[in-house]
């Protein structure tokens, strides 16, 4: 009798252990001096229609008024709030968030963006795909905000249909940002997380590091991130564009070998880098990038057209050739 009960108990326990556990996420929100937007971001996580509830880690990167004073009493579900008395930059702040988590999957969320109400459901479904992904990027709805009025506009990137070739799918990452993306924590730790020396272009640097390690990327169109375009606190556009151009050049130099094996992704990324360099009057560097782009993607008509046009502009406007 006792043996029979024991066997039935062991059988029940074995059956329960075979039931798959819901995917556990931690959402890491980095913030600085945007308490109004931050509350919208937090609400979008707490109000998910999903059994896959997420933990929240907030990294306050030097806000004038500590975030803890603004949200802790209101949001009892914010289990961890990390505080930097002085700003360390978005890359270092995100790395702090990674170290403060324990779940297998992490989602980054900028404080001025928010998630659709079924975002976690769709992301959880995506984690069960075959082959299993190591990181997942959502589709985006751009929300243009002008004097408090929000105008949604569905973005065509970074989503790319999975029916296309692997290189075309990866090309959808050329304009991806880490906000809204889900990553396996173990993969982030393996590549060292975000480069804290980069304050811009850190997203693409991380993505290229993961792809170079053969980690599997998957787009998930059904998971929607609302990406806010606004005129709130940030660096001036001219300064940021110049820094963006310099950072893109650094990322390109680091990952030139990887991009050489993925011509479609390289064509899109390098084309944007070259354009940004030219706009910021780094003419020689812009032409050098375009020359390399033509070498990697010899059938890119856009690159060839830009290469010829810029050489002519450099010759007639500046009175000299800037490289071949």
């Amino acid at each position: 009798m006792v043996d029979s009960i024991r066997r039935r108990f062991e059988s029940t326990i074995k059956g329960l252990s075979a039931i798959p556990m819901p995917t556990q996420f931690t959402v890491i929100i980095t913030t600085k001096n945007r308490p109004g937007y931050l509350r919208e971001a937090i609400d979008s996580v707490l109000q998910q229609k999903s059994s896959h509830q997420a933990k929240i880690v907030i990294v306050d990167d030097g806000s004038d008024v500590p975030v803890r004073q603004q949200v802790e009493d209101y949001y009892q579900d914010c289990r961890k709030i990390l505080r930097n008395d002085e700003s360390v930059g978005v890359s270092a702040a995100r790395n702090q968030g990674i170290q403060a988590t324990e779940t297998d999957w992490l989602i980054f969320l900028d404080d001025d963006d928010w998630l659709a109400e079924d975002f976690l459901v769709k992301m959880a479904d995506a984690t069960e795909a075959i082959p299993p992904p190591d990181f997942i990027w959502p589709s985006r709805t751009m929300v243009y905000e002008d004097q408090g009025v929000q105008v949604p506009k569905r973005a065509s990137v970074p989503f790319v249909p999975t029916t296309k070739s692997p290189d075309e799918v990866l090309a959808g990452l050329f304009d991806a940002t880490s906000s809204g993306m889900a990553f396996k924590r173990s993969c982030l730790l393996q590549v060292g997380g975000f480069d804290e020396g980069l304050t811009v272009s850190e997203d693409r640097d991380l993505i290229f590091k993961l792809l170079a390690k053969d980690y599997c990327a998957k787009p998930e169109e059904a998971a929607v991130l609302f990406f806010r375009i606004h005129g709130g606190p940030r660096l001036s556009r001219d300064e940021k564009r110049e820094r963006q151009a310099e950072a893109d050049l650094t990322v390109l130099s680091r990952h030139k070998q990887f991009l050489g094996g993925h011509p479609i992704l390289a064509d899109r990324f390098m084309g944007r880098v070259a354009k940004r360099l030219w706009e910021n009057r780094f003419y020689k560097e812009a032409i050098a990038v375009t020359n390399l782009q033509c070498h990697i993607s010899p059938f890119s008509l856009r690159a060839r057209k830009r290469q010829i046009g810029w050489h002519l502009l450099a010759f007639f406007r500046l009175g000299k050739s800037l490289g071949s």
Side-chain angles (χ1 to χ4, degrees):
M1 181 68 176
V2 173
D3 289 342
S4 175
I5 293 175
R6 180 172 56 81
R7 285 194 297 269
R8 290 173 61 185
F9 177 76
E10 290 175 349
S11 176
T12 301
I13 294 298
K14 184 180 294 185
L16 290 174
S17 64
I19 299 175
M21 296 296 292
T23 304
Q24 296 295 311
F25 295 100
T26 296
V27 178
I28 299 172
I29 306 176
T30 52
T31 185
K32 181 181 179 182
N33 291 334
R34 295 196 284 211
Y37 289 159
L38 175 61
R39 291 197 173 202
E40 290 185 59
I42 296 172
D43 282 339
S44 75
V45 179
L46 298 180
Q47 296 171 6
Q48 288 291 301
K49 295 182 177 180
S50 170
S51 60
H52 305 273
Q53 293 302 310
K55 298 179 180 179
I56 300 175
V57 171
I58 298 174
V59 185
D60 176 8
D61 191 32
S63 294
D64 295 337
V65 178
V67 164
R68 188 177 299 276
Q69 298 177 16
Q70 303 176 51
V71 303
E72 190 174 41
D73 292 340
Y74 182 67
Y75 296 106
Q76 299 300 322
D77 293 281
C78 296
R79 301 304 182 191
K80 291 184 180 179
I81 300 178
L82 310 180
R83 163 75 178 174
N84 296 319
D85 291 330
E86 295 184 3
S87 176
V88 297
V90 65
S91 295
R94 288 174 181 156
N95 286 342
Q96 290 174 335
I98 295 170
Q99 294 298 327
T101 60
E102 298 176 353
T103 57
D104 292 337
W105 281 92
L106 309 180
I107 296 173
F108 294 101
L109 182 63
D110 290 351
D111 60 356
D112 53 350
D113 300 334
W114 69 97
L115 310 177
E117 62 183 11
D118 60 351
F119 186 90
L120 291 183
V121 173
K122 304 305 182 183
M123 278 297 192
D125 290 344
T127 64
E128 303 298 327
I130 302 296
D134 297 302
F135 62 106
I136 307 165
W137 76 95
S139 61
R140 295 188 301 185
T141 293
M142 315 295 279
V143 180
Y144 295 85
E145 185 175 272
D146 182 17
Q147 297 181 351
V149 178
Q150 296 181 355
V151 182
K153 179 181 179 182
R154 190 62 179 265
S156 59
V157 293
F159 175 71
V160 177
T162 53
T163 54
K164 295 190 176 183
S165 70
D167 198 31
E168 288 177 302
V169 172
L170 290 182
L173 282 165
F174 90 104
D175 198 35
T177 62
S178 57
S179 185
M181 292 184 69
F183 299 85
K184 282 185 177 177
R185 184 175 184 270
S186 58
C187 298
L188 293 175
L189 295 175
Q190 182 66 32
V191 299
F194 292 90
D195 182 346
E196 297 182 10
L198 293 173
T199 55
V200 288
S201 294
E202 75 287 343
D203 311 271
R204 280 166 288 283
D205 180 66
L206 175 65
I207 288 168
F208 291 155
K209 285 195 296 185
L210 290 167
L211 293 175
K213 291 284 188 180
D214 292 326
Y215 287 122
C216 179
K218 182 185 186 306
E220 181 50 63
E221 182 184 23
V224 178
L225 170 80
F226 291 97
F227 188 88
R228 193 192 313 258
I229 307 296
H230 61 89
R234 58 180 175 180
L235 295 173
S236 69
R237 292 185 178 181
D238 289 341
E239 290 178 354
K240 188 169 184 179
R241 287 176 66 186
E242 182 171 336
R243 290 172 56 216
Q244 183 84 57
E246 294 172 344
D248 278 344
L249 198 58
T250 298
V251 173
L252 173 59
S253 177
R254 287 179 182 174
H255 302 288
K256 183 168 58 177
Q257 183 176 357
F258 167 76
L259 290 169
H262 299 82
I264 299 177
L265 176 60
D267 184 40
R268 296 191 183 186
F269 176 65
M270 295 173 71
R272 188 177 63 174
V273 171
K275 183 178 180 181
R276 185 175 286 125
L277 288 167
W278 185 271
E279 289 173 347
N280 286 281
R281 301 185 179 182
F282 298 120
Y283 300 123
K284 185 175 182 179
E285 292 83 354
I287 289 178
V289 170
T290 302
N291 291 340
L292 180 60
Q293 181 184 4
C294 290
H295 176 73
I296 293 175
S297 304
F299 301 108
S300 173
L301 295 179
R302 288 180 301 177
R304 289 294 180 189
K305 182 178 178 181
R306 186 183 298 120
Q307 183 187 44
I308 295 170
W310 283 356
H311 273 287
L312 291 174
L313 280 172
F315 183 79
F316 288 109
R317 289 187 179 182
L318 305 178
K320 60 180 179 179
S321 174
L322 292 180
S324 58

